[in-house]
Amino acid sequence: MAPRTQRLRVAVRGAVQGVGFRPFVYRLATDLGLRGWVLNSTSGVRIEVEGEAAALEAFRLRLEREKPPRAFIQSVEASYLDPAGYAGFAIRESDASGERRALVLPDIATCPDCLREVLDPSDRRHRYPFTNCTHCGPRYTIIEALPYDRRQTTMKAFVMCPTCRSEYDDPSDRRFHAQPNACPVCGPQLELWDADGRVLAERGTALERSIEAVRGGAIVALKGLGGFHLVCDARVGPAVRELRRRKAREEKPFACMFPSLESVRATCEVSAPEERLLLSPEAPIVLLRRRTRAGAGVSAGRGAGRPGDAAASGALDPAIAPGNPYLGVMLPYTPLHHLLLAALAFPIVATSGNRSDEPICIEEHDALERLSGIADLLLVHNRPILRHADDSIVRLCAGRELMLRRARGFAPLPVALPSTVGSPPVLAVGAFLKSSVALSSRGEAFLSQHIGDLATPQARTALADTARDLGRLLEIRPRIVACDLHPDYPSTEFARRTGLPVVAVQHHEAHALACMAENELAPPVLAVSWDGTGYGTDGTIWGGEFLRVTDEGCERVAHLRPFRLPGGEAAVREPRRSALGLLWEAFGEEALARDELPPIRAFSPAERGVLAAMLRRGVQAPVTTSAGRLFDAIASLLDLRQITRFEGQSAMELEFAAQESDADGAYRFELRDAPAASPAVGDATTGSLADWEPLLRAILDDCHAGAAPGDVARRFHNALAELIVAVARTCGLPRLVLTGGCFQNVLLTESAVVRLRAEGFTPYWHQRVPPNDGGIALGQLVAAQRGPKPGS
Ligand SMILES: [Zn+2]
Ligand SMILES: [Zn+2]
Ligand SMILES: [Zn+2]
């Protein structure tokens, strides 16, 4: 990629004023030849620097590594924006005009000073799992109301001992006004429970016995910062498979917690930005590429070696992330995790403490009920968790971080909204999958933590609770509620029940507006909005959409050629149904006779009969333009997967297959006029049709000729990038946003970015807000503020 000037905006929160931070930033920026400014704001320090990508990344690394000794960073939020054309670097006047609202900080990973105390046998907090200070510890998960003060946190039940009190009252102490301040004398304590809730041990003994249990292969439910984890030995052995069996989680990858950065390096490749993310105060799960030769057991069955060998070498169990070249990795972020991992000295599985897709457990008696049958033991404590916060998940994409799940460490920090100061506060309730809510007030959007899929009653309750809780905490009373256009989503029902004026926002328009908002883009923009499922204005399932977003509205300028999904919803779990829908559209009845094709072979003759009847009559076979289902279909044709075990699995596997290939060339989509009226998001219009039939025929030819699946997958990705370029050319707008769940795919995003730039377009993609439905509430907020049309 040719060097290009970008602007990096950084909001640093923490103890960064009065410690020489601004002169430090000045020296660092000028040293790296960057232009821009730094200033003190009401919430910390704000920085904008401009230069080439490599210099900006170096700036980010050194900002955290070389900061002044007395500075402490609690959170760094960065986003890349278009250059502003700064000349030179300046320390600007403090900005006192900013938002005066007291900010609710996210939970912060244990700081080095606290860790040192916990590990120091002579310190009074030696081995104390709830050690914290003003630089670290729980925040969002313990705050009942603002102002942030101990009596308004879940720490109010603990009366500080005289020593803690004197720290708390001493302005020169690191614990001056540290609200969760505690010590072994006065603070929260551990208990170890059996699966019936009987107390087996307390305090240090509870920890010791938990360590022994994990070593012995047990599954322990561990109450952490934002909820329960289920933890077990991650190395080859029976524990991981047993956890899968008990949790009824077949193949969806488990995240792991490693004892140290060094131990991560032994298993995964870690670049400098990835190291920064792992060690950051936000301490998210980072998706890292696994080393192929470290015996890490990349795939079940393939080259994993004999189990005995692998166990001896301390390799991870292949069942952690079957067939997946990536691993979700985090480092310990509370003293409890540090103590546990230091004693174990091997990686553990640390997955959300829930049953299947329910929200994470935060309360021990609830955990006892919901996790009995999964956990052998519960390691709990008596510091109440007020609201859940799952681990956030990020991955590196085109040299920057891409948020996949926004929760602990980030929620509920705001994102600036474009020119909306003065508009009424809005509540946005998201869609169905990866649900989250958002609230806007005075030019800022506060995004809630990840809630989860709304398939369970628990998740639906959590949605309503989170919406209420966030409003109360931030003292925002919404006057409008924005929801998805889908009439039957539980989130839509919830929106109606609020009694507020409802603005229903088309799903892919919301994706587009979310991506525009975080990149601070004003219309007009061409949005490539691709995902699995979204309700279209014509009542069909959309998902492969090109939308022109203007000041006036949003127009569907192109979309994938529609095809039918036999069995409807069932197609989400069965890629072979998408493949059949595609083949039926192209070849009609003849499709079912093509026994040489894996998706056809995957159905019994009886099943074929039923499906053919659905397709013939168009009954139980809804029409879709979904790009996600197109990914499924191709994965099925390549026989990578006929039935998925978790959402998005086949698209992921197609991406992984493509990454193994460096085949060039691309299959061809044919861009032609859409036949009949192709309803717009708002106004009527006709757009273009991206016909996948030439691509389908070429793929069938290649498969017939014995082409490697990886090469086919690669040329499919290339074809999508070329399609984006082709539509961009016909549309003529210089700026594009790439949004929707399909753009969690790094290969697709990077290919599109490279090709668009080569053709003179400027592409934008997601950074701080997930491209998947976890980010959709932000777009709904913007839509409601752009021109509320209440009354649906
Ligand atoms: Zn600390
Ligand atoms: Zn104390
Ligand atoms: Zn979506």
Side-chain angles (χ1 to χ4, degrees):
M1 244 176 263
R4 60 186 55 244
T5 300
Q6 298 173 64
R7 173 168 50 125
L8 176 69
R9 173 185 297 167
V10 189
V12 186
R13 298 179 179 92
V16 287
Q17 296 192 4
V19 291
F21 202 82
R22 287 176 304 166
F24 154 70
V25 171
Y26 179 89
R27 282 192 303 274
L28 182 58
T30 46
D31 185 34
L32 288 164
L34 298 170
R35 302 165 301 280
W37 49 262
V38 57
L39 59 74
N40 280 339
S41 72
T42 49
S43 60
V45 165
R46 281 170 43 206
I47 306 165
E48 290 201 4
V49 280
E50 253 173 46
E52 288 173 8
L56 293 175
E57 189 52 43
F59 178 83
R60 292 194 63 183
L61 286 176
R62 291 178 59 185
L63 184 74
E64 292 182 48
R65 243 184 231 160
E66 300 171 19
K67 64 182 187 300
R70 283 170 55 234
F72 195 86
I73 296 176
Q74 289 171 320
S75 111
V76 185
E77 280 218 300
S79 40
Y80 290 86
L81 303 166
D82 285 340
Y86 296 126
F89 192 90
I91 298 183
R92 288 195 177 171
E93 285 298 301
S94 296
D95 178 13
S97 69
E99 183 60 55
R100 289 233 160 257
R101 179 200 310 281
L103 205 62
V104 180
L105 275 178
D107 302 302
I108 303 153
T110 304
C111 75
D113 289 333
C114 285
L115 182 58
R116 208 172 300 125
E117 292 170 349
V118 170
L119 300 178
D120 176 1
S122 69
D123 194 278
R124 72 188 193 91
R125 288 189 174 85
H126 181 227
R127 300 189 66 73
Y128 182 57
F130 305 96
T131 303
N132 67 82
C133 72
T134 44
H135 301 155
C136 72
R139 297 287 185 278
Y140 185 49
T141 55
I142 63 165
I143 298 176
E144 290 170 349
L146 290 175
Y148 177 46
D149 188 54
R150 187 167 179 113
R151 66 196 158 72
Q152 308 219 65
T153 70
T154 64
M155 285 296 292
K156 65 188 171 194
F158 301 93
V159 178
M160 275 185 275
C161 69
T163 319
C164 284
R165 185 83 226 178
S166 65
E167 292 167 341
Y168 182 89
D169 288 335
D170 177 1
S172 69
D173 195 280
R174 199 172 92 245
R175 297 195 165 90
F176 178 57
H177 283 200
Q179 306 304 345
N181 189 25
C183 79
V185 175
C186 66
Q189 298 295 351
L190 294 176
E191 279 183 0
L192 183 68
W193 294 4
D194 69 11
D196 295 319
R198 278 186 295 261
V199 179
L200 302 177
E202 294 178 349
R203 303 190 173 212
T205 319
L207 179 61
E208 291 311 319
R209 288 190 53 184
S210 305
I211 291 164
E212 281 163 35
V214 173
R215 253 193 218 120
I219 296 166
V220 176
L222 180 141
K223 186 179 174 187
L225 195 56
F228 275 80
H229 275 145
L230 288 161
V231 307
C232 69
D233 189 343
R235 297 171 302 172
V236 172
V240 178
R241 282 179 184 78
E242 186 59 20
L243 178 58
R244 284 216 176 274
R245 195 185 63 75
R246 293 189 197 169
K247 219 182 164 203
R249 176 154 151 161
E250 294 163 300
E251 291 177 13
K252 192 174 177 184
F254 285 136
C256 292
M257 188 179 276
F258 279 69
S260 64
L261 188 61
E262 293 65 45
S263 61
V264 177
R265 285 192 197 285
T267 305
C268 300
E269 290 161 21
V270 186
S271 68
E274 287 164 340
E275 175 182 331
R276 173 174 56 71
L277 287 165
L278 285 169
L279 297 172
S280 69
E282 293 87 358
I285 294 171
V286 185
L287 292 191
L288 298 175
R289 195 163 247 288
R290 296 155 83 157
R291 289 188 188 281
T292 40
R293 283 183 295 119
V298 162
S299 55
R302 272 181 289 163
R306 284 187 295 134
D309 299 345
S313 71
L316 293 192
D317 196 300
I320 285 176
N324 196 322
Y326 290 86
L327 190 67
V329 170
M330 62 187 141
L331 289 174
Y333 57 82
T334 70
L336 180 57
H337 297 140
H338 279 289
L339 291 167
L340 185 67
L341 271 294
L344 292 172
F346 57 75
I348 56 172
V349 169
T351 187
S352 299
N354 55 9
R355 261 192 327 230
S356 56
D357 291 322
E358 293 175 357
I360 188 170
C361 286
I362 58 172
E363 200 275 324
E364 42 273 23
H365 293 95
D366 180 42
L368 202 56
E369 199 171 296
R370 282 164 63 196
L371 304 181
S372 69
I374 302 179
D376 299 304
L377 296 166
L378 290 87
L379 181 60
V380 303
H381 58 74
N382 56 346
R383 184 179 72 204
I385 299 173
L386 199 64
R387 57 184 68 78
H388 74 278
D390 289 81
D391 298 313
S392 295
I393 306 177
V394 299
R395 90 188 278 196
L396 222 63
C397 177
R400 311 169 182 170
E401 65 244 50
L402 175 69
M403 184 78 64
L404 300 181
R405 181 162 84 191
R406 188 179 161 100
R408 180 183 50 76
F410 300 94
L413 290 177
V415 170
L417 285 176
S419 59
T420 50
V421 183
S423 33
V426 182
L427 165 68
V429 296
F432 182 83
L433 294 175
K434 301 179 166 66
S435 171
S436 73
V437 302
L439 274 167
S440 69
S441 171
R442 286 178 285 177
E444 287 185 311
F446 296 87
L447 309 181
S448 84
Q449 69 277 32
H450 164 90
I451 296 165
D453 301 349
L454 299 182
T456 63
Q458 288 89 343
R460 296 194 279 271
T461 305
L463 173 81
D465 290 349
T466 305
R468 249 190 312 273
D469 171 60
L470 199 61
R472 196 185 51 223
L473 184 62
L474 300 169
E475 293 170 359
I476 299 172
R477 245 186 228 97
R479 304 235 308 272
I480 297 172
V481 59
C483 64
D484 197 273
L485 190 62
H486 197 301
D488 303 326
Y489 278 165
S491 52
T492 308
E493 281 167 34
F494 170 69
R496 284 194 215 106
R497 281 201 310 275
T498 60
L500 296 169
V502 175
V503 179
V505 185
Q506 200 281 324
H507 190 92
H508 302 95
E509 178 178 0
H511 274 307
L513 294 172
C515 194
M516 288 168 65
E518 73 157 321
N519 286 289
E520 302 194 354
L521 293 181
V525 166
L526 174 62
V528 185
S529 200
W530 287 359
D531 61 8
T533 303
Y535 191 82
T537 55
D538 58 357
T540 69
I541 305 166
W542 288 11
E545 312 308 312
F546 293 88
L547 307 172
R548 189 205 318 253
V549 182
T550 61
D551 280 323
E552 285 70 45
C554 182
E555 182 195 349
R556 191 188 195 195
V557 292
H559 58 81
L560 290 182
R561 175 180 166 188
F563 55 99
R564 288 192 182 274
L565 297 174
E569 275 293 294
V572 175
R573 276 187 58 92
E574 297 185 24
R576 59 186 182 167
R577 290 178 188 252
S578 292
L580 174 59
L582 219 59
L583 293 165
W584 182 275
E585 184 69 23
F587 306 113
E589 296 275 348
E590 190 199 309
L592 285 166
R594 299 195 60 168
D595 264 308
E596 82 278 13
L597 300 177
I600 303 300
R601 265 203 318 272
F603 291 113
S604 70
E607 287 171 326
R608 288 182 214 179
V610 173
L611 295 167
M614 289 176 178
L615 287 164
R616 251 176 240 132
R617 288 183 285 135
V619 177
Q620 279 183 278
V623 167
T624 189
T625 55
S626 165
R629 296 293 87 81
L630 184 63
F631 268 89
D632 285 351
I634 306 305
S636 163
L637 285 167
L638 295 178
D639 210 9
L640 295 175
R641 186 153 296 273
Q642 303 302 343
I643 295 176
T644 61
R645 307 295 172 196
F646 60 91
E647 193 242 331
Q649 185 180 23
S650 66
M652 262 176 47
E653 287 174 341
L654 198 62
E655 178 188 357
F656 300 153
Q659 282 178 350
E660 301 306 314
S661 158
D662 51 8
D664 45 19
Y667 299 116
R668 194 174 58 84
F669 283 89
E670 188 186 320
L671 209 56
R672 53 189 166 83
D673 287 344
S678 164
V681 192
D683 336 271
T685 185
T686 54
S688 311
L689 200 66
D691 188 355
W692 37 258
E693 191 170 325
L695 168 139
L696 174 68
R697 288 177 183 272
I699 287 178
L700 293 178
D701 288 348
D702 275 2
C703 290
H704 187 68
D711 291 347
V712 175
R714 184 74 186 208
R715 285 192 283 265
F716 171 68
H717 279 77
N718 293 346
L720 294 170
E722 294 307 325
L723 171 63
I724 292 170
V725 168
V727 176
R729 279 208 202 96
T730 63
C731 184
L733 293 174
R735 298 177 307 162
L736 286 92
V737 293
L738 307 173
T739 186
C742 291
F743 291 98
Q744 297 174 95
N745 179 324
V746 166
L747 179 63
L748 174 65
T749 307
E750 291 180 346
S751 307
V753 166
V754 167
R755 286 292 298 124
L756 285 166
R757 283 184 176 163
E759 299 293 324
F761 296 99
T762 311
Y764 301 83
W765 59 98
H766 284 269
Q767 309 177 46
R768 293 191 291 158
V769 176
N772 58 46
D773 289 1
I776 214 158
L778 175 63
Q780 293 173 340
L781 282 186
V782 178
Q785 299 201 328
R786 253 162 66 96
K789 296 165 215 135
S792 78

